[in-house]
Amino acid sequence: ADRKHKQNNSVSGADIESFELESDIAVENEYVQNEELSLLRRELAFISSDYRDIVVAYYFDDLSVKDIANTLSLTEGTVKIRLFRARNILKEGIKMAREFGTKSYKPEQVSFVNSCSSFGDNGQPWTILTHSLYKNIFLEVYDNPETAAEVSLALGIALPYMEDELKFLTEQTFLMKEGDKYKTSFPIISAEAQRLMYEKNISVTAGITSLLETLIDKFSEACRESGSAYYGDYQDYEDAKWTLLMRTFDWLSSDACDGDGSTKREYTVRPDNGRWDIVGYQDAKLPEPLFIGLHGVFNERPDKPAVHFQQFKYNYENIESKTPNFLSHDEALTLKMVAEGKWEACEKLYIDNLLKYGYIRNNGDGFVPTILVFSGYSTDKYTKKFTEAQKSEIIELAHKIKKIFADVESYSTDIVAKDIPQFVGAGKMYSTYSTFERGYVLEQALRDGWIKYDETTSNVIGAYLYI
């Protein structure tokens, strides 16, 4: 250690323009040539590009110090001193036993929840979040800033490749760089925090599901008694329950967690016209509820009329495969026109597609939908026909449900605030941290027998349209 300290002082104090290296190069060349090439290549993978480019150019490309200096826009003295230091680093590295991190042979998993107003032009964030390497980079430097070399060792990836990946992820705003260290820029909820939230979710699932079932039954019964078909008359009640349960869940959970909805959520501006935020979830090895996605066409385009079609996609009994993942805007608009009785003005191509998917059928006189069709967003026109007793009971049920949602959200927010680093914004609304997912309620409703799935169930359950 004393020898190396004196040597470093001698080198750092020298005039690099006059530093004589050539007399030493013959000895060093022999050393390099006689070393195991595999060890040399290994070490070249773990030194920074400032040194690596010069070593490769000198030893492998057989360029002179002068040529390297010209190519890299450096002085010859700088090239000499970096080459001298690089050889020492290589020799030390070759002598040592490299210990790779466990992620190099046992990658960890992390899942994500995305909230956005627009994806990036290249499909960000999902085109990036699906890569296993990126997931493990995020976990490695989460609340644990590391240099590129440290990340490279931890993941067992050669430094030249790792440097490129870290630069890309920083440009895409998934990482932040401070000095020479990188860290993850978004929250990743730990396994322990998820366990606590999971236990809370499980404790309220049966009660909240029972209240939702009762609310939907009461509301639907009051509509029937008052002569209102609030979800249309194209699907029977047993099939409609699949959509009504999830739609009511979304309505009330949103009301409970977002207040009156008057505060507009602003998502982070990202590269390529994206506005999105993400939350990661470390693999907690907890029982996962059935996944229920929500896909559809819900936008206004300047060149085409607005349309609102969506569908809950149930990862249960292969239901999600019975209909396409997405409809095009033209297909959704055709579906809306059919619901409005304007099918004769539709293009045959889109009518044929919707028939094939099962979203419409021929009733002999033309075409009609096979899904739920809501007329407007407000329920006031239905509830004003209810008796005072009916309205009072429905309002009370809704309040009880929203209180449970709010309690769960408050509990989860407290857990997350203690779990994630402050630099990622513990108080910021990324998405619903609590992950009280639709699947908890669906599974309970199936256990209750309130909803059923058999050979008579419609293939297009979960789909709905607003006109």
Side-chain angles (χ1 to χ4, degrees):
D2 183 59
R3 178 184 59 78
K4 290 170 69 175
H5 177 70
K6 291 177 180 177
Q7 182 184 57
N8 288 340
N9 285 343
S10 174
V11 170
S12 61
D15 181 353
I16 62 172
E17 294 298 332
S18 61
F19 189 78
E20 292 298 330
L21 190 67
E22 301 302 329
S23 61
D24 187 43
I25 286 181
V27 177
E28 297 296 344
N29 283 349
E30 182 180 358
Y31 178 87
V32 172
Q33 291 164 2
N34 291 336
E35 275 299 330
E36 289 284 345
L37 283 178
S38 61
L39 292 176
L40 177 59
R41 293 191 186 100
R42 183 195 73 182
E43 290 311 308
L44 281 172
F46 293 105
I47 66 172
S48 72
S49 57
D50 288 344
Y51 295 122
R52 182 177 60 249
D53 293 344
I54 292 174
V55 170
V56 171
Y58 186 82
Y59 286 112
F60 292 89
D61 297 339
D62 202 28
L63 296 179
S64 67
V65 169
K66 181 177 181 180
D67 290 336
I68 296 170
N70 290 334
T71 301
L72 299 179
S73 299
L74 300 171
T75 66
E76 290 185 36
T78 300
V79 172
K80 289 178 182 180
I81 200 70
R82 288 186 183 178
L83 187 59
F84 178 85
R85 289 172 176 167
R87 289 202 306 267
N88 285 334
I89 294 171
L90 287 169
K91 284 192 292 184
E92 292 295 328
I94 286 171
K95 292 175 184 177
M96 69 184 286
R98 291 281 187 188
E99 291 190 10
F100 298 105
T102 57
K103 291 186 179 66
S104 66
Y105 58 86
K106 187 182 178 183
E108 292 189 48
Q109 289 299 316
V110 59
S111 58
F112 303 94
V113 172
N114 163 237
S115 298
C116 73
S117 56
S118 62
F119 293 117
D121 294 339
N122 297 315
Q124 302 102 311
W126 291 109
T127 49
I128 292 172
L129 295 177
T130 53
H131 289 256
S132 293
L133 171 60
Y134 296 160
K135 292 179 182 180
N136 282 275
I137 290 174
F138 300 150
L139 286 170
E140 178 65 24
V141 300
Y142 182 69
D143 202 20
N144 176 46
E146 292 185 356
T147 64
E150 290 169 332
V151 181
S152 179
L153 273 173
L155 272 66
I157 304 293
L159 188 57
Y161 304 113
M162 183 57 70
E163 288 172 334
D164 284 345
E165 300 293 6
L166 294 174
K167 179 182 177 183
F168 170 71
L169 292 174
T170 302
E171 291 171 347
Q172 291 293 319
T173 68
F174 290 85
L175 297 180
M176 297 185 292
K177 187 177 183 184
E178 295 180 353
D180 63 346
K181 294 191 174 185
Y182 298 85
K183 61 183 179 183
T184 306
S185 64
F186 58 88
I188 299 177
I189 313 302
S190 70
E192 175 60 16
Q194 291 177 66
R195 182 188 65 78
L196 293 172
M197 291 188 288
Y198 171 79
E199 291 173 354
K200 179 69 171 179
N201 293 343
I202 290 299
S203 71
V204 303
T205 293
I208 204 168
T209 305
S210 176
L211 289 170
L212 284 165
E213 293 167 354
T214 303
L215 174 63
I216 295 168
D217 282 340
K218 295 291 184 182
F219 188 88
S220 300
E221 182 182 357
C223 283
R224 284 193 297 270
E225 290 178 0
S226 62
S228 301
Y230 74 101
Y231 57 83
D233 55 4
Y234 307 109
Q235 203 172 88
D236 66 41
Y237 185 54
E238 288 304 314
D239 287 341
K241 283 180 181 179
W242 287 79
T243 307
L244 297 176
L245 180 63
M246 297 297 98
R247 195 76 187 99
T248 307
F249 177 99
D250 285 359
W251 271 333
L252 296 180
S253 63
S254 178
D255 283 350
C257 300
D258 295 341
D260 60 5
S262 60
T263 302
K264 184 178 180 182
R265 183 177 298 179
E266 295 291 341
Y267 298 103
T268 305
V269 177
R270 308 287 184 170
D272 302 315
N273 302 307
R275 280 184 175 272
W276 47 263
D277 287 297
I278 53 175
V279 178
Y281 292 88
Q282 188 180 16
D283 183 10
K285 295 181 173 56
L286 293 168
E288 294 184 5
L290 293 170
F291 178 72
I292 305 167
L294 181 61
H295 298 175
V297 179
F298 183 21
N299 65 337
E300 267 189 74
R301 289 177 44 169
D303 58 331
K304 293 188 177 180
V307 60
H308 182 177
F309 163 81
Q310 290 184 286
Q311 182 170 12
F312 294 104
K313 303 288 284 186
Y314 307 97
N315 187 19
Y316 174 74
E317 295 288 351
N318 208 30
I319 295 173
E320 74 279 3
S321 67
K322 298 183 184 298
T323 50
N325 284 334
F326 299 97
L327 289 187
S328 69
H329 190 279
D330 288 324
E331 289 171 336
L333 185 57
T334 300
L335 182 55
K336 179 182 178 182
M337 293 174 69
V338 169
E340 294 172 335
K342 302 174 183 176
W343 59 269
E344 291 179 314
C346 299
E347 292 188 34
K348 183 177 184 301
L349 170 64
Y350 303 129
I351 290 288
D352 290 344
N353 286 348
L354 294 174
L355 282 169
K356 180 175 67 175
Y357 303 151
Y359 293 122
I360 64 174
R361 64 181 177 84
N362 192 321
N363 66 351
D365 297 323
F367 301 97
V368 294
T370 58
I371 65 175
L372 272 61
V373 178
F374 298 104
S375 178
Y377 296 97
S378 174
T379 59
D380 291 346
K381 60 184 174 183
Y382 306 114
T383 56
K384 69 181 181 181
K385 299 179 182 179
F386 296 173
T387 66
E388 288 303 317
Q390 289 172 328
K391 283 193 286 188
S392 177
E393 184 175 20
I394 289 167
I395 291 172
E396 183 180 356
L397 286 166
H399 283 168
K400 287 181 179 178
I401 294 168
K402 288 197 286 186
K403 185 179 184 308
I404 297 175
F405 276 130
D407 288 345
V408 172
E409 179 69 10
S410 176
Y411 175 85
S412 299
T413 299
D414 289 343
I415 294 294
V416 169
K418 298 173 184 175
D419 184 66
I420 67 177
Q422 289 300 310
F423 73 83
V424 298
K428 183 176 179 180
M429 284 293 293
Y430 286 94
S431 64
T432 303
Y433 288 129
S434 69
T435 65
F436 189 75
E437 300 172 18
R438 304 178 184 113
Y440 289 111
V441 167
L442 179 67
E443 289 178 350
Q444 185 63 48
L446 286 164
R447 288 193 291 269
D448 294 343
W450 188 77
I451 56 174
K452 302 179 180 65
Y453 185 80
D454 56 34
E455 65 279 358
T456 66
T457 305
S458 168
N459 286 340
V460 294
I461 52 174
Y464 63 92
L465 177 75
Y466 279 93
I467 59 173

